[in-house]
Amino acid sequence: MRELVVLGTASQVPTRHRNHNGYVLRWDGEGLLFDPGEGTQRQMLRAGVAAHDLTRLCVTHFHGDHSLGLAGVIQRINLDRVPHPVTAHYPASGRRFFDRLRYATAYRETVDLREEPVSGDGGTLAVTDAFTLLARRLSHPVESYGYRLVEPDGRRMLPERLAAHGITGPDVGRLRREGELRGVTLDQVSEPRPGQRFAFVMDTRLCDGVYELAEGCDMLVIESTFLDGEADQAEEYGHLTAGQAASVAVEAGVRHLVLTHFSQRYDDPAEFARQARAAGFAGELTVAEDLTRVPVPRRR
Ligand SMILES: [Zn+2]
């Protein structure tokens, strides 16, 4: 199962309808919690995400709307005695903030919480069977990194060709593993299957990192704090507008664009969609609301 669970969608100041940021990406056996703001623990409850589901904590930067929820979430995974290791990625320059949040109050530590901070331009953070996790530096007043998951490319078996060669049952697995069986090669009975790609881009101006993270993504979750009319403010405070975020998605060939991290000044979410369409984005579009679930699009 691969899906995005949206826990919160507000930048800076939560509103009546929007919690601070918070996003869980379920990707096969892993659960990656991105940018937990205040109230994340309760939003997880409402969204049906358990502490046990989490395997990684990924923080783009240390502003409160992206990190104040760490204290509660970290204590909760310990209270629930999550049995597997949990790995935390965050900007190394903000280690003192992470330490304070991790040890904000007294509690009993039961979980193997591993810290793997990001520094420099970013780079490869983890390689698993299901994905490679990368980070890239963004452009914001405090050091900020976006994250990207890339599934390795594979091959899709073609049942009718397998049948034509009389290959069934366990022989299919053997052919897949060994590349050849009784003179039939893997190429003859399968086709390339591009791996899926996901990116999480928060709190940044337009910069090279944004485009590198978004390139060819099946799903891009990206901040659009402002509408296009406030482009000057977006530039000044290190944010994107709806039109800028959508233009990135167009250039990068994104299939499903998820806009989020909205300023509290706006009360009509439809305007973000209008501006994204006006920028030329024609793919699947979600203007995120709290507690929305967005499936990662089916493979090409
Ligand atoms: Zn923010």
Side-chain angles (χ1 to χ4, degrees), residues 140-154:
H140 196 55
V142 303
E143 197 171 54
S144 185
Y145 291 90
Y147 295 93
R148 172 176 165 98
L149 264 83
V150 179
E151 179 189 34
D153 292 336

Side-chain angles (χ1 to χ4, degrees), residues 10-12 21 35 60-61 63-66 140 202-203 223 225 239 261:
S11 68
Q12 204 168 41
N21 283 290
D35 281 2
T60 60
H61 66 294
H63 277 149
D65 51 327
H66 301 259
H140 196 55
M202 251 353 91
D203 290 36
E223 70 124 310
T225 310
H239 287 293
H261 188 273

Side-chain angles (χ1 to χ4, degrees), residues 4-10 17-19 21-23 202 220-222 224 256-262 269-270 272-273 285-294:
L4 176 77
V5 183
V6 178
L7 302 175
T9 54
H17 302 290
R18 296 189 188 278
N19 199 77
N21 283 290
Y23 311 83
M202 251 353 91
L220 170 65
V221 180
I222 187 167
S224 63
H256 195 142
L257 171 64
V258 179
L259 297 179
T260 184
H261 188 273
F262 306 112
F272 288 86
L285 174 64
T286 297
V287 177
E289 292 176 17
D290 290 17
L291 307 179
T292 304
R293 308 177 97 86
V294 191

